[in-house]
Amino acid sequence: MASIIVIPIIIVAIVGLTGYLVYKYGMYDYFCKRSVNQTLQKYNIQKTPSQIIKEYYEDKGEKKSHKEIQNLEKHYRQKEPDQFLAMYDAIRERK
C-alpha cells in the first residue's frame, strides 16, 4: 500500500531534479549567451564578448589568461550582462 504512494513521489522527484539540473547547467547559460549576443547585435557591435573583455583588461594594463577571460565572460554573461556595453564604451572612449 505504501509503495503505491512512495514510488510515484520518488519518480516525480527524480524527474524534477533532472529537469532543474538540465536547466541550471545547460539551458540557462545558453539563454544568457543568446541574450548578450542579441544586445551586442542590436547596437551594431561586431566584437564578441571575450574580445571585449580581453581588450578592456589590456587597456587597463592587466593581462588575463584565456581561462580567466572565459570565467569572466561566463560571470558577466549570467550575472552582469550590461557590463559588456560598459566595457565596450570604455574601450571606445580610450581610443
Side-chain angles (χ1 to χ4, degrees):
M1 180 73 178
S3 65
I4 295 173
I5 296 171
V6 173
I7 291 175
I9 290 174
I10 291 173
I11 291 172
V12 168
I14 290 171
V15 169
L17 183 61
T18 302
Y20 171 75
L21 292 174
V22 166
Y23 174 76
K24 172 102 170 123
Y25 293 109
M27 294 176 63
Y28 181 70
D29 191 49
Y30 169 75
F31 289 133
C32 290
K33 187 174 191 173
R34 190 172 129 209
S35 173
V36 167
N37 288 336
Q38 286 176 345
T39 302
L40 294 177
Q41 250 181 359
K42 178 181 172 184
Y43 292 106
N44 290 328
I45 298 172
Q46 301 300 322
K47 296 181 180 184
T48 64
S50 59
Q51 288 174 330
I52 292 172
I53 292 170
K54 183 177 180 182
E55 286 183 30
Y56 177 76
Y57 281 102
E58 283 177 355
D59 284 349
K60 286 178 62 176
E62 298 177 30
K63 284 298 231 182
K64 299 284 185 186
S65 69
H66 182 68
K67 185 68 174 171
E68 289 175 319
I69 291 172
Q70 284 180 328
N71 289 339
L72 284 171
E73 180 182 357
K74 185 173 183 177
H75 170 76
Y76 288 139
R77 185 172 57 225
Q78 292 182 356
K79 306 254 192 278
E80 305 174 53
D82 294 336
Q83 283 295 327
F84 291 111
L85 295 176
M87 286 187 272
Y88 183 76
D89 286 342
I91 292 168
R92 221 175 46 183
E93 288 175 1
R94 287 187 183 157
K95 293 183 180 183

